[in-house]
Amino acid sequence: MEFATQFDAVEGDVLQLVTMLGVSNDAFVGLHVPLFEAGMPVEGDMTSFALLYDAGSEPNEPFGHGENQPGSRSGGDDEGASVHVFVPDDAGNAPPAVDQMLRITLRRVMP
């Protein structure tokens, strides 16, 4: 699947992108990058700047499995509702790297 959009930007603008991971109970990817650097538009692969976050709304489970995953929503106790960068849990459950799930590319389009 691919999604593309176009927008106008001026120096000082930033791109902020947030998308939930549908195979998780409360994980999402966030990106915040400046669109200009030294007066020139930024272009290329921005995936490495994206971070995987945990909303902290439910206990973590392996991606795609567990009672708190989409499709089996029974709810669950929260983790303190503190948004934080996702880290593996004590059992070693870790999500795939962001670049294994999506790619974010900026390309300058001339009018």
Side-chain angles (χ1 to χ4, degrees):
M1 178 198 289
E2 182 175 313
F3 172 79
T5 187
Q6 291 185 9
F7 53 88
D8 295 323
V10 296
E11 193 164 359
D13 285 350
V14 297
L15 173 65
Q16 296 183 58
L17 172 77
V18 177
T19 184
M20 184 184 175
L21 299 178
V23 297
S24 73
N25 54 333
D26 65 351
F28 62 95
V29 172
L31 174 75
H32 178 99
V33 293
L35 292 172
F36 287 80
E37 193 171 277
M40 298 298 296
V42 173
E43 294 186 81
D45 188 355
M46 299 291 121
T47 309
S48 64
F49 298 104
L51 296 174
L52 183 61
Y53 291 91
D54 179 352
S57 61
E58 296 177 333
N60 294 329
E61 298 170 326
F63 278 32
H65 301 86
E67 65 182 36
N68 296 307
Q69 302 295 310
S72 60
R73 283 275 186 224
S74 63
D77 296 333
D78 69 23
E79 303 171 79
S82 169
V83 175
H84 52 277
V85 173
F86 206 104
V87 295
D89 62 20
D90 293 339
N93 294 317
V98 171
D99 66 354
Q100 298 297 310
M101 297 183 281
L102 59 88
R103 181 173 316 274
I104 303 165
T105 305
L106 290 179
R107 184 177 65 225
R108 184 176 181 191
V109 177
M110 300 300 288

